[in-house]
DNA sequence: GATGAATGAGGCTTCATTCAT
DNA sequence: TATGAATGAAGCCTCATTCAT
């Protein structure tokens, strides 16, 4: 396939400064970092609702009021933690080695990268789900982030249609939405809700279903498990 | 295909008495019903967390304490509302007319019924998502309910494999999970998060992707929208 | 000793009718009795504060409102239960066989009877202690009941002083109060708070202390336990 | 008698820090002290059950929530108030001047000190009785404190038995329990339930009964009141 | 920069008693 | 007699945020 997958360049998620610590003294930056780190740990362990500002500042080893020097609210730290997590997610997903440039290979790589990243950020994924059902602003930010992935997929599918790899009867928007939803939710059931799956089998089976759905040729390497 | 889709007989959702009003006088039953109804409306409008017992009893036109005659907690009414909603969901989904007995027709009918039911219970679906991220017990109950649909799909796929309609390279468990997740999450994005889709197009496209994924022959009746 | 111990005739504890069921139909009397019995069981098991009217009527197998046909308040049933218990207490204490008419024998018999009765009404004694610290009216009734025993003791001591068995340096009022307090509180520590004592040893030791305190000759039958 | 009464060194009441205000700023310590003081006053005036956190914080002149900065519950402040009261009690009792080292003198001094201390802490004694019938944890703490006094008495009696002042027919454990109960309960009837007694007469009469009970020689200085 | 004390509205639940049937 | 639904005041505790030092 000549059409390159869109670059992994990371678009800004929102209007936060890329380096939130700018304008702080080194000491201030350290305090701030300790707060973010403590917040993430607590959010992951206890959830968004059950973590309070008291816990966070205690865990960071600073006074209660210090928290409000760096953040205006609990929501704000959470936003920061989520941004960090998105960066980590993309870093992990991007680190997945490329195996080929045909559609099936790209899809498999994307799925493997996605699952890998999801697995390593599972605790935060659970919490983001919770927080975004509670806080509308977080829900919106989350949808923005999803749109990014969705658009990438839609552009890729459209490209494959131009190349003739995917049939014209497929609506690229629906397909991108539906297949994205499939991968995303499967990961949630797997890593957050605790369904048990074999990593490589999951990658292969979901890639198979994904390719089949689009009419992209794909052959399994592993032998089937059931029957 | 001779293999019949599993019957639409509705299994018991849990061990709650079918008629929760048993042992109540007509007056009591009326009050209880008013509470459940008020609770559902408020949950749908304000969410699980932002609805409190005070709101519910006020809306039902009874005193605060009256609520606790019929329910031991907010969680408990919520459970009842959810049960009601499940019954409604299944009723709507089952009402979808059968068009044929081939795999593609069965899948299309199931998808159309699912979307129809989801659309009409969208408000509660949003709230259930919220409540289940907050309350572990509700999360568990929710997974149980999902398991029921997942198992139905898995059995159907296995049946089609025996019939030779679906290839043996597909793992029925993974496929049922993944495609169920696709339909489920797509409906959530659509009806809860507000993505805009055309009903019949969505049914057709998702059925197409579903069938393709399993290798089941399926032809679109509507013309593609993009390009 | 010629002076007879005051008779065991039971004085009225308060203005309640001796037979509270008077003026009730047989059916009403039965219902009332069931309520009193259920109330006593629950008070003994759960304490005064943790027993509510709902519990009582449920346990008695009658409707909530029925309770208020027979009693005007929780306090009132409690009063009735206490009266029953007092009757029981006196019955047990009076049943103790007389062994002799000398002061030491009378004291020993009184102590043995008191401990025997206390032991068998221990559960209610605990609850009365609780209730009387909470409800001033009950506290007063309780003091009245105590006064009865105190007066008996005072009259006996005064009698023994006239007879020359007890010295004139003893103030009968102080002695009756103090020694009554000793017996009463010792029983509480023993049967309610759970100190472990041997019944006959306790009777003998406390009788010994009691007699010694008053200068009444008394010899132990059991061998001493310690040293 | 050469055997000295055990020293008046005050043992730790429990594992609470001697200075509960450690780790607080002066301002915090002041607020905390105001809360404890307000709590004690209210407990004494209204009882344990009828005093609520709202009352306490209002009386201390702070907001409702401020209470929960310093204490986790009403039970906890109560514990603190009780500890303070125990310290006060021991201080008063220990301040009683020594008159001689013979058994009778020691007993008289102990009784006088006990009554003096009880009299000055009467309000809290009443409340502790109430609270300990309601709250099992407080009941246990109270028994621990009593055990301390009981053990002192038992050791003293055993010592006097070794010295030959008290006969071997007395069981030191029973005697310590019974005579302790006598003093304790007499004080309760007197200072809490409002029986009227003359201070010095009470000291002398109860000391007389106490000594007589143990066979310790004791002569009254005051003339008898009755007859 | 940092501290930590103070705020107070808000939510949940209990229960003695009344009252219409 | 008996029923059981209805009442609503009262109490406990949490926690995001502000502010004086």
């Amino acid at each position: 396939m000549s059409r390159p997958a869109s670059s992994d360049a990371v678009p800004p998620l929102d209007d936060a400064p890329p380096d939130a610590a700018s304008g702080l003294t080194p000491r201030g930056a350290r305090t701030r970092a300790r707060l973010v780190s403590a917040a993430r740990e607590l959010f992951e362990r206890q959830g968004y609702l059950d973590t309070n500002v008291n816990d966070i500042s205690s865990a960071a080893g600073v006074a209660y009021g210090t928290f409000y020097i760096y953040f205006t609210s609990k929501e704000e730290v959470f936003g920061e933690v989520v941004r960090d997590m998105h960066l980590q997610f993309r870093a992990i997903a991007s680190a997945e080695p490329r195996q080929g440039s045909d559609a099936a290979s790209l899809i498999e790589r994307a799925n493997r990268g996605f699952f890998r990243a999801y697995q390593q950020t599972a605790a935060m994924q659970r919490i983001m789900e919770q927080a975004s059902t509670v806080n509308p602003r977080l829900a919106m930010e989350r949808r923005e982030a999803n749109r990014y992935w969705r658009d990438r997929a839609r552009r890729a599918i459209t490209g494959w249609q131009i190349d003739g790899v995917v049939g014209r009867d497929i609506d690229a928007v629906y397909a991108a939405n539906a297949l994205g939803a499939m991968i995303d939710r499967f990961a949630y059931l797997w890593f957050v809700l605790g369904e048990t799956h074999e990593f490589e089998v999951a990658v292969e089976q979901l890639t198979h279903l994904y390719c089949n759905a689009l009419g992209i040729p794909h052959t399994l390497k592993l032998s089937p498990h059931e029957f």
Side-chain angles (χ1 to χ4, degrees), chain A:
Chain A
M1 271 332 96
S2 58
R3 193 159 304 280
S6 58
S7 94
D8 277 325
V10 173
L13 275 172
D14 54 27
D15 46 312
D19 182 3
S22 62
L24 293 179
T25 64
R27 179 186 172 197
R30 240 177 303 132
T31 302
R32 192 193 148 92
R34 280 221 306 280
L35 281 164
V36 173
S37 162
R40 176 160 183 173
E41 245 168 74
L42 285 165
F43 284 139
E44 291 184 350
R45 201 160 57 231
Q46 313 176 351
Y48 180 68
L49 291 170
D50 290 344
T51 295
N52 56 41
V53 177
N54 194 359
D55 293 341
I56 297 174
S57 31
S58 294
V62 301
Y64 203 157
T66 303
F67 177 89
Y68 285 92
I69 296 172
Y70 298 101
F71 305 99
T72 65
S73 66
K74 183 167 100 167
E75 190 187 329
E76 200 179 276
V77 225
F78 188 75
E80 174 111 358
V81 169
V82 166
R83 260 188 308 281
D84 284 358
M85 194 273 277
H86 277 160
L87 294 178
Q88 184 194 353
F89 191 98
R90 292 186 186 184
I92 298 171
S94 313
E96 201 60 37
R98 288 187 180 77
Q99 305 267 2
S101 61
D102 60 307
S105 298
L106 292 173
I107 289 168
E108 182 179 327
R109 175 180 175 270
N111 288 345
R112 183 177 281 107
F114 188 89
F115 286 147
R116 193 94 72 198
Y118 209 107
Q119 184 175 39
Q120 289 180 43
T121 56
M124 271 307 293
Q125 300 288 348
R126 159 184 272 128
I127 302 319
M128 281 172 56
E129 189 70 34
Q130 180 186 84
S132 65
T133 65
V134 166
N135 186 316
R137 222 172 73 84
L138 294 172
M140 230 184 53
E141 283 187 15
R142 186 131 190 260
R143 287 189 57 203
E144 293 305 320
N146 275 347
R147 200 185 309 275
Y148 165 73
W149 296 100
R150 215 70 60 66
D151 281 353
R152 270 182 72 158
R154 202 211 60 231
R155 283 196 304 273
I157 293 171
T158 304
W160 291 324
Q161 287 182 315
I162 293 171
D163 295 339
V165 184
V166 170
R168 302 270 161 149
D169 52 352
I170 297 277
D171 184 314
V173 171
Y174 282 89
N177 272 289
L179 297 173
M182 174 177 82
I183 299 296
D184 190 35
R185 198 57 173 178
F186 186 89
Y188 184 77
L189 297 170
W190 183 5
F191 297 118
V192 171
L193 296 191
E195 308 267 328
T196 318
H197 297 297
E198 191 60 37
F199 194 89
E200 278 307 320
V201 179
V203 170
E204 193 167 57
Q205 283 285 329
L206 269 84
T207 299
H208 195 54
L209 294 166
Y210 199 116
C211 290
N212 284 352
L214 294 173
I216 294 169
H218 179 259
T219 324
L220 295 172
K221 285 158 214 151
L222 302 169
S223 53
H225 285 242
E226 280 213 352
F227 76 93

